Amino acid sequence: MTDSDNTTETSSIKISGGLDVMMPLCAVFRRHLKDQDLKYTRERADILDLIMEIDDVFEADSLLDEMKKRGHGASKATVYRTLKLLQDAGIITPIMLDSRQTYYHLVYGRDPLNFLVCLRTGKRIRITDDRAQNLAKAMAEEHGWHPAAHRMVIYGISPDSEDK
């Protein structure tokens, strides 16, 4: 991964016929750690395993709470450092859905997450409509780009908060 373009260097392998095969997630992480002269520890593996189970955005503190519930011995510092390493490896990305909290999302090998977010209540609705994906692809291709990922967050006022 390079600092300038924020992409993973080799996360897929070309095989005959031009097909891309995704490398296993732990292999991508191990490679990134090796490039940084760091080890793939049990704590880092446990954190990655838990993140792979989550099909939504998550907060660092909720991840730490779940680690403790499962009896894993990762400290708060280890969780935060591992989140940074996973972000640097292009495996997760931070998402600011409100001004109070940073959320994270597993992006490697996953469909993008798109949201409606109420500015008054913070209520969040996940958009599972293909139109966002199609729009992102069309916009990128219109400019000659090859889309790799996208994220759409639409901020507004939800109908149930208009009276508040």
Side-chain angles (χ1 to χ4, degrees):
M1 178 161 161
T2 63
D3 290 334
S4 62
D5 65 4
N6 206 25
T7 59
T8 303
E9 287 180 332
T10 54
S11 59
S12 64
I13 302 167
K14 289 275 188 195
I15 60 173
S16 64
L19 296 175
D20 283 339
V21 176
M22 297 286 286
M23 288 175 39
L25 191 52
C26 63
V28 173
F29 192 38
R30 283 177 189 263
R31 178 179 289 174
H32 177 72
L33 291 171
K34 185 177 180 183
D35 290 346
Q36 305 296 313
D37 292 324
L38 297 170
K39 295 183 181 191
Y40 186 71
T41 63
R42 178 79 249 154
E43 291 84 5
R44 289 176 178 150
D46 290 341
I47 291 167
L48 180 58
D49 287 345
L50 179 55
I51 290 171
M52 289 170 35
E53 293 177 20
I54 301 170
D55 189 36
D56 200 356
V57 296
F58 60 91
E59 303 169 31
D61 289 338
S62 65
L63 188 67
L64 179 61
D65 291 344
E66 186 60 29
M67 292 290 291
K68 287 180 181 178
K69 283 182 195 172
R70 294 180 181 205
H72 299 302
S75 69
K76 186 172 189 171
T78 299
V79 168
Y80 277 89
R81 282 193 305 264
T82 302
L83 289 174
K84 176 70 171 123
L85 289 166
L86 290 166
Q87 183 179 335
D88 292 345
I91 294 170
I92 65 171
T93 188
I95 301 174
M96 294 299 295
L97 296 175
D98 58 49
S99 61
R100 299 176 301 273
Q101 179 66 47
T102 299
Y103 298 87
Y104 297 90
H105 169 235
L106 177 63
V107 292
Y108 186 85
R110 295 273 177 98
D111 289 333
L113 292 182
N114 304 298
F115 294 97
L116 293 169
V117 178
C118 180
L119 292 169
R120 288 191 182 147
T121 66
K123 178 180 178 179
R124 184 177 73 221
I125 297 176
R126 188 169 168 183
I127 303 168
T128 57
D129 192 310
D130 286 341
R131 290 179 292 179
Q133 176 87 8
N134 295 337
L135 177 62
K137 182 179 180 192
M139 291 175 72
E141 289 174 352
E142 179 180 315
H143 295 280
W145 291 43
H146 299 283
H150 81 275
R151 173 179 55 229
M152 181 183 295
V153 180
I154 301 170
Y155 297 96
I157 307 299
S158 64
D160 55 340
S161 72
E162 288 180 352
D163 296 332
K164 294 179 183 177

